[in-house]
Amino acid sequence: MRFGLLGPLHAQITGREVRFNGPRQAKMLAALLVDANNIVAMDRLVAVMWDGNAPATAVRQVQDAVSGLRRNLVACGAPGSLISTRRGGYEIHLAPDQLDLLEFDHERRLAEQHTAPFESAVALRRALACWRGNALVDISSRVLEIDAARLNERRAATHKQCLAIELDLGRHREVIDELTALLREHPYDEDVAEHLIVALYRCRRQGEALQVYERLRRTLADELGVDPTPPLQTLHQRILTADPALVAPVPASGPSDTPPERPDVPAAEPAMAMPVRQLPLDVSDFVGRAEALGEIAGLLDASAPNRAPVAVIVGGPGVGKSCLVTHAARLASTAFPDGQLYLNLAATSDEPRDPGLMLAEALRALSIAGSAIPNGLFERAALYRSLLVDRRMLVVLDDAGHADQVLPLLPGADGCAVLITSRTLLTQLPGARHIDLDVLSPAEARELFTGIVGRRRVEREPAEADAILDCCGNLPLAIRIASGKLTGRPAWSLRVLRERIEDESRRLAELRIGDLSVRASVELSLRLLPADAVRALSLLGLLGAYTLPGWVVGPLLDRSDAEEVLDTLVDASLVRLTATDAIGQPRYRLHDLIRTCAVEIAAPLPATDKRDAIIRVLSAWLELVGRGTDRLPAAGLLAAAPGSAPRRPLPDAVVDRLMADPFGWFDAESDNLLGAVKLAVDWGLDELAWELAAGTATYYDHRCLYQDWQHGHQLALGATEAADNVRGTSVLLRGLGQLHIYRDEFDQATRALESSVGLCRDGGDKRGEALSMAMLSTVSRVQGRDDEALERVEQALAIAVGEGDRHIEAQLSCSMAVMTLMQGKLEEAELWFNGALSQARALDDEHRVAVVLRRFSRLHDRRGDPDEALRCLWQALATFEKLADERCAGYTLLEVGRVYAGQHDRDRASPALERAAGLFHRHGDRQDEAACWQLIGDLDAAAGAHDMAHQHRGRALRLWQMIGDMNQTKGLARPSSP
């Protein structure tokens, strides 16, 4: 379990990222983490949530947000005691290694306790490695921005302290770049300027040191109207007079740089004439990567318990592996005083380097030349290891392809370490640690882009800059190419480049400058892949920008053993394993630019091959949707008989594993299911489109995901109408009709349902006609046309009985009971209720049983038996809460409130009605929410609480005005519950 606020807010539990349900949960977690292991007062949480002008229900909303956050964390594997409720607030309980802020403070304390400067510097470096960027950079809250600013100041102070110690240790060369960057961030900080001036002077860069002083003097004079402080002026004079006391101390790389004498070492062993310093030039505009740098530093630290002699940095094309390793190696160079060896293995080139030749190159760097270099690979490797046995050297192996290329180049000495970059996992290397490198964070990407293009150009067109970075997918190579184009074309606005690269079909052609090209970089990886992996990648690109489960590769390739192909793509860093979802499925994704390359690769494939692959994948999705829906509570009027679209079954073991938690599966795949509908529409597969859209309606109904419901149905409806698909159009219109009913949009519901009935009659779809007619009866009932409602229910029931559909018969029997009850025919209503209850129980449909019980409660209440009514309602509520059906739970709580209100029990009625109103508000059911507030207002008035009555009745009135139903203000609203 790991949390982070020293950068973007970060929460990881059992190895996977925690998703927050909206910004409020993120704000609450951030506020708790800032004061971890301390009570955070409710007033502070309210201030964090609203930044002033908090509503009257602020405390309740904060409680709901924290409760939702706690459930979210527990669902990911956190202990239930992680966030505890305290008097007046909440507290999160974390160990120092579970929160980067606690770890940062711990390392700072260690630095203060150390007496040796070297050890203090090491501790401060570990503290700085806890940072991933500016604190809480992605959280919008004025209160938290103050905390973030305070933390950022502590980071800067720590950085300054660390550099000062390292300067005193004689590491003047190493600290120049960091001091320069720090002075750029804090241009008035004379301490930083003094350290930079001294460091430059000690590197024999007297002119540059004087320039730093002069720039600072002008800045202070022009902007603040002051001169540098006397100590800085004195330093300036000392540099002008070449004061010998400014000469650097002897460099120190650790507490014990000189190894003990070893009398058993042969005197004739070759010795290097001077330390090897082969590292490439550092990237001057390197940004971010704090987490990866910290991890590498920890692996290279000889005193760290988790030290690893070999670290492999793995990542896809253009992700910045070589830049990171070069930067990390330079930061760590002082820990390896005997030198740094750099070898480019060129695995992705036309001619990968042979390890024997690489060893010869290494031996020459170690002062072995000519005939002294053995001929054989094993002899060269043995000599190489012997030369390094007592040395502390860092070896960098760039662009490695496979383990056989790397193994001969690994030193065996404890004092040495190896950094390797590769596009492929090198799992065969003994003792190696792998660091998976992804693209830059949005903040890092913008920093890199701004640093190259220039702050003024970016600030003039911030939206265009964001669009360019979005097109680049935060890939460092793409950002450098795009930035390079702008730098070489100063007359261009950012809009010009954005317009040229926003067209995905032209993007790769535009992302090229000189020898740099995103397409070429990806093609280097493709050359190393077998043909089936290249084909799989090309077809994956056709599925769109989604995070996919691994099973899709099987239908794409039409083979059952596709896991190995997927593993090949993952190992080659072309497909990224992003996470494991809540039901245990690994999730995979193509970077947007790699996906664009994949689409280009797929272009030459026959159109029929691509279409067949798409159909296979969509038919597998459709099969899973059907299997999942079968395991959900009864679908009621939303269930549609299958159409003619193909279904591709997956192995039973796979289906059973995925559907062990059907709601969890639908939750995990909600984006992909909408994407599948769109994919079907894009490929002209109207039958698959409507079946996929209609098949998810039961899930959307239970989860109250009305926007997804509407989006998927409207996408598919356009396809079925264009294809003159009568059956599909009728089903989709019926689904949209039910959605309009839930949203109190009764005119739209009537139009959609009447059209559906007409299409069903034209197509001879009796069952569909019954379903649509039953929904129309709901509209009639809610709008007070009772005779019409009863007539429509009777028509629908007659059709259902004639078709032998017992599920629809059970539901419509309950509707008949409600209608006869509304007419005052209690005995007849009881017969219908008992029949509906028996039918639902015979079908083993616990959701339908709960619905009947909820409605049956009205009969008991009418007969003067509130205890029996409440017994039915509490039993129904328990079922709905078990099935996580919030909407039906709201209807049940509304009935509970009505029963208590009939007994004039305001203390019990109001809480139930407030809970119901909250659920209705969350799901957009304004009519039933208004009914709750109206009833609460009536109870207030009866109790003499006239101010509260006015407030609650006014709330109901505003809701009814919103839905244009002014007649309802004259009396209690009819329930719209199904």
Side-chain angles (χ1 to χ4, degrees), residues 103-128 158 161-162 165:
E103 189 174 353
F104 172 72
D105 289 338
H106 174 70
E107 294 295 345
R108 278 168 51 96
R109 286 193 295 271
L110 287 180
E112 293 170 359
Q113 294 168 8
H114 287 309
T115 56
F118 171 81
E119 293 175 343
S120 295
V122 170
L124 291 173
R125 281 292 173 189
R126 287 198 298 266
L128 292 170
T158 303
Q161 180 186 2
C162 179
I165 295 174

Side-chain angles (χ1 to χ4, degrees), residues 311-548:
V312 184
I313 288 72
V314 184
V319 82
K321 301 178 293 297
S322 298
C323 288
L324 171 68
V325 165
T326 299
H327 191 70
R330 285 191 167 276
L331 291 177
S333 60
T334 53
F336 299 94
D338 293 322
Q340 302 88 42
L341 192 63
Y342 175 85
L343 298 172
N344 184 354
L345 305 188
T348 55
S349 69
D350 291 330
E351 297 182 2
R353 306 291 298 278
D354 179 79
L357 296 177
M358 290 285 90
L359 280 169
E361 183 177 319
L363 290 171
R364 284 192 291 272
L366 297 172
S367 303
I368 307 298
S371 60
I373 297 177
N375 292 325
L377 173 66
F378 296 111
E379 291 83 0
R380 289 180 179 179
L383 177 57
Y384 168 74
R385 290 193 297 271
S386 298
L387 289 172
L388 299 184
V389 71
D390 284 324
R391 295 194 172 103
R392 294 165 60 191
M393 288 193 68
L394 178 61
V395 180
V396 175
L397 304 178
D398 201 6
D399 194 16
H402 50 81
D404 291 341
Q405 193 183 25
V406 171
L407 282 168
L409 298 168
L410 299 181
D414 291 338
C416 294
V418 184
L419 292 178
I420 303 170
T421 70
S422 178
R423 298 188 182 190
T424 305
L425 287 170
L426 304 178
T427 53
Q428 303 93 325
L429 297 182
R433 300 278 184 86
H434 285 72
I435 298 175
D436 190 14
L437 195 64
D438 199 359
V439 297
L440 296 171
S441 70
E444 292 170 342
R446 191 177 181 89
E447 183 182 354
L448 176 60
F449 183 75
T450 303
I452 300 174
V453 174
R455 186 169 300 279
R456 287 187 178 180
R457 292 179 78 179
V458 173
E459 289 177 347
R460 279 199 301 266
E461 301 177 272
E464 301 292 352
D466 290 339
I468 291 170
L469 292 172
D470 187 54
C471 291
C472 293
N474 295 340
L475 186 73
L477 174 61
I479 295 171
R480 290 191 179 280
I481 293 172
S483 304
K485 281 201 165 188
L486 288 169
T487 302
R489 297 161 178 80
W492 273 16
S493 66
L494 271 61
R495 179 182 59 81
V496 172
L497 179 63
R498 188 265 301 163
E499 290 175 345
R500 294 179 66 144
I501 66 174
E502 68 180 352
D503 182 353
E504 197 169 278
S505 64
R506 294 178 50 198
R507 189 171 300 162
L508 292 177
E510 291 291 341
L511 289 176
R512 179 189 183 100
I513 185 170
D515 294 332
L516 292 179
S517 166
V518 173
R519 179 190 285 119
S521 182
V522 175
E523 287 173 348
L524 290 175
S525 289
L526 295 178
R527 287 189 303 197
L528 304 176
L529 294 179
D532 56 355
V534 175
R535 179 178 176 83
L537 182 70
S538 66
L539 295 175
L540 278 169
L542 301 178
L543 299 184
Y546 297 98
T547 302
L548 299 165

